[in-house]
């Protein structure tokens, strides 16, 4: 777990409103919740609601009508039919804030539940999640558990990327016009809404001989550590260099090339 930095000085002058850390979602979701059923009007970025509503309705209808077709669309097996049941109940299930709904390696490393005080408030302000179902979520957006991946293909419909790009990219562009975005999404989720000019992050492993290889599964843990460092910091970074400086203070080895950062971990 990376240390919090509530006491650290500001890094440079904050020319932007805030840094936004754009996370990938996870296939796994925490069950249950204590919030009321889904209301699209309670989510940020209301211009996304027409497509959000269409996708929710399509998922509910498909999950209720044809399990075999639903398995094919979602890329799951019969052993995962509980995911279909979740989708069938999208409109009636309890909700949780998005940042608490997602689970897995990245979210374990982020460990947002352990943040307190101003660090917790910064996490709510700075974290966002790219979603195949909702397009873009802010940390406190209340959502139910669901299953839909960027590569899912709903029967008789265009790809999710083809559907999301026209509506999602203008929203992302507007956010990026006022705030620095650190884009931690995987390739398939980045394809749902491209964001030129964002700070991007790769993770590589380096062995004793200096040979580097791309880290696959465990890159999520390092990106989670970076996200935690960024929400724990009082600094408002306005370029990739200042993002890298925050990461280094959290004990990470980071290299920079323009807006692209590389986290280097020892093999």
């Amino acid at each position: 777990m990376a240390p919090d930095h509530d006491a650290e000085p500001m890094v440079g002058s904050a020319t932007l409103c805030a840094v936004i850390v754009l996370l990938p979602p996870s296939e796994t979701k925490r069950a249950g919740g204590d919030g009321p059923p889904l209301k699209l009007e309670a989510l940020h970025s209301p211009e996304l609601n027409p497509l959000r509503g269409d996708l929710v309705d399509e998922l509910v209808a498909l999950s209720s009508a044809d399990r075999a077709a639903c398995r094919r669309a979602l890329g799951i097996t019969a052993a995962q039919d509980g995911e279909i049941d979740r989708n069938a109940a999208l409109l009636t299930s309890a909700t949780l804030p998005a940042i608490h709904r997602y689970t897995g390696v990245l979210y374990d490393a982020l460990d947002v539940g352990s943040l307190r005080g101003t660090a917790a408030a910064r996490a709510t302000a700075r974290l966002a999640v790219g979603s195949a179902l909702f397009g873009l979520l802010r940390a406190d957006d209340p959502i139910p558990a669901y299953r839909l991946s960027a590569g899912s293909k709903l029967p008789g419909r265009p790809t999710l990327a083809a559907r999301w790009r026209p509506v999602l990219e203008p929203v992302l562009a507007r956010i990026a016009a006022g705030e620095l975005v650190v884009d931690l999404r995987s390739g398939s989720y980045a394809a749902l809404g491209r964001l030129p000019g964002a700070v991007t992050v790769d993770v590589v492993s380096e062995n004793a001989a200096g040979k580097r290889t791309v880290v696959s599964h465990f890159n999520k843990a390092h990106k989670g550590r970076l996200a935690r460092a960024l929400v724990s910091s009082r600094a408002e970074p306005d370029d990739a260099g200042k993002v890298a400086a925050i990461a280094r203070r959290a004990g990470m080895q980071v290299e920079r090339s323009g807006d692209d950062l590389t986290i280097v971990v020892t093999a």
Side-chain angles (χ1 to χ4, degrees):
M1 180 187 305
D4 292 348
H5 297 287
D6 284 346
E8 74 181 15
M10 296 292 286
V11 179
S13 60
T15 59
L16 302 175
C17 298
V19 58
I20 299 298
V21 184
L22 182 52
L23 305 172
S26 60
E27 295 286 6
T28 56
K29 317 288 192 302
R30 186 169 285 108
D34 54 11
L38 177 67
K39 293 183 178 180
L40 295 181
E41 60 269 25
L43 306 181
H44 289 80
S45 304
E47 56 268 65
L48 302 180
N49 283 349
L51 183 50
R52 287 166 170 164
D54 288 346
L55 291 172
V56 167
D57 289 344
E58 290 166 20
L59 268 185
V60 170
L62 178 62
S63 302
S64 302
D66 190 337
R67 283 184 178 263
C70 195
R71 290 183 201 123
R72 290 192 295 272
L74 301 179
I76 62 175
T77 67
Q80 297 170 288
D81 275 359
E83 302 283 5
I84 297 176
D85 295 333
R86 281 183 171 184
N87 283 351
L90 274 172
L91 295 172
T92 57
S93 295
T95 57
L96 278 174
I99 200 60
H100 297 295
R101 176 64 72 190
Y102 297 101
T103 62
V105 174
L106 186 150
Y107 290 89
D108 287 345
L110 171 59
D111 193 19
V112 73
S114 70
L115 297 174
R116 297 291 182 269
T118 56
R122 283 193 297 270
T124 298
R126 295 179 179 180
L127 293 175
V129 182
S131 165
L133 181 55
F134 298 108
L136 179 70
L137 294 165
R138 298 306 288 259
D140 57 351
D141 280 338
I143 59 169
Y146 68 92
R147 179 65 176 250
L148 186 70
S149 302
S152 299
K153 180 68 166 62
L154 298 177
R157 304 290 184 179
T159 65
L160 291 174
R163 300 176 75 178
W164 271 121
R165 278 181 185 168
V167 293
L168 181 56
E169 288 184 350
V171 172
L172 292 173
R174 186 173 65 251
I175 292 171
E179 298 165 314
L180 178 72
V181 179
V182 180
D183 191 352
L184 302 182
R185 295 175 299 169
S186 59
S188 60
Y189 283 93
L192 298 182
R194 295 162 296 190
L195 186 53
V199 176
T200 61
V201 179
D202 291 317
V203 183
V204 299
S205 174
E206 184 176 78
N207 65 18
K211 181 179 179 180
R212 292 183 173 183
T213 57
V214 175
V215 175
S216 54
H217 177 69
F218 287 105
N219 77 27
K220 297 177 182 178
H222 298 291
K223 288 182 176 180
R225 287 180 60 209
L226 175 59
R228 184 179 176 88
L230 290 170
V231 301
S232 297
S233 174
R234 290 175 56 193
E236 294 284 9
D238 55 13
D239 62 30
K242 292 172 185 175
V243 172
I246 291 171
R248 290 176 187 130
R249 286 198 299 276
M252 307 177 80
Q253 181 181 343
V254 180
E255 299 173 355
R256 177 191 177 192
S257 176
D259 289 332
D260 303 322
L261 301 182
T262 300
I263 297 172
V264 182
V265 297
T266 302

